[in-house]
């Protein structure tokens, strides 16, 4: 896999993972909830875990292309805010659109 396709794969995975907690009542889109509803706190926890999962995917793809470049805290702060920005459509659909 070349570098351009790796970047697109990570971006598409981040878009899907960022919206998954808000579009599904199931935990990680797989396991049904006993109570039937997920609260906002559980959705945010799920969002944080999916951020780490997508970050691991990006790290694995970077390792397959060559040496991993060391990152500082700024990189993680920017990618976390980008992940939250990508989650905005799902948040709007879940909490701001009337159903």
């Amino acid at each position: 896999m070349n570098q351009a396709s790796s970047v697109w794969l990570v971006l598409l995975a981040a878009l899907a993972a960022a919206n998954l907690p808000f579009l599904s009542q199931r935990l990680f889109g797989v396991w049904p909830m006993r109570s039937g509803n997920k609260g906002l706190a559980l959705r945010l926890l799920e969002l944080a875990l999916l951020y780490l999962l997508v970050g691991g995917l990006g790290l694995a793809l970077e390792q397959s292309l060559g040496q991993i470049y060391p990152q500082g805290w700024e990189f993680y702060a920017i990618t976390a805010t980008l992940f939250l920005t990508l989650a905005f459509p799902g948040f709007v659909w879940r909490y701001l659109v009337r159903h």
Side-chain angles (χ1 to χ4, degrees):
M1 180 177 290
N2 63 10
Q3 186 176 4
S5 60
S6 294
V7 169
W8 281 107
L9 177 65
V10 170
L11 285 175
L12 290 174
L15 181 64
N19 286 297
L20 180 65
F22 300 106
L23 299 179
S24 175
Q25 287 292 345
R26 295 173 171 255
L27 191 61
F28 295 107
V30 178
W31 298 288
M33 299 294 297
R34 289 184 184 158
S35 65
N37 289 332
K38 286 193 296 187
L40 181 61
L42 186 58
R43 290 181 198 277
L44 293 177
L45 177 66
E46 189 177 359
L47 189 68
L49 291 174
L50 287 169
Y51 167 72
L52 294 174
L53 185 70
V54 170
L57 172 67
L59 197 65
L61 288 173
E62 186 178 9
Q63 178 65 38
S64 72
L65 292 173
Q67 185 176 357
I68 296 176
Y69 187 78
Q71 305 294 343
W73 67 269
E74 297 93 347
F75 172 79
Y76 298 105
I78 289 171
T79 56
T81 55
L82 177 62
F83 199 75
L84 288 175
T85 303
L86 290 174
F88 187 69
F91 177 83
V92 168
W93 184 81
R94 170 63 56 197
Y95 291 109
L96 301 179
V97 174
R98 290 183 184 232
H99 297 285

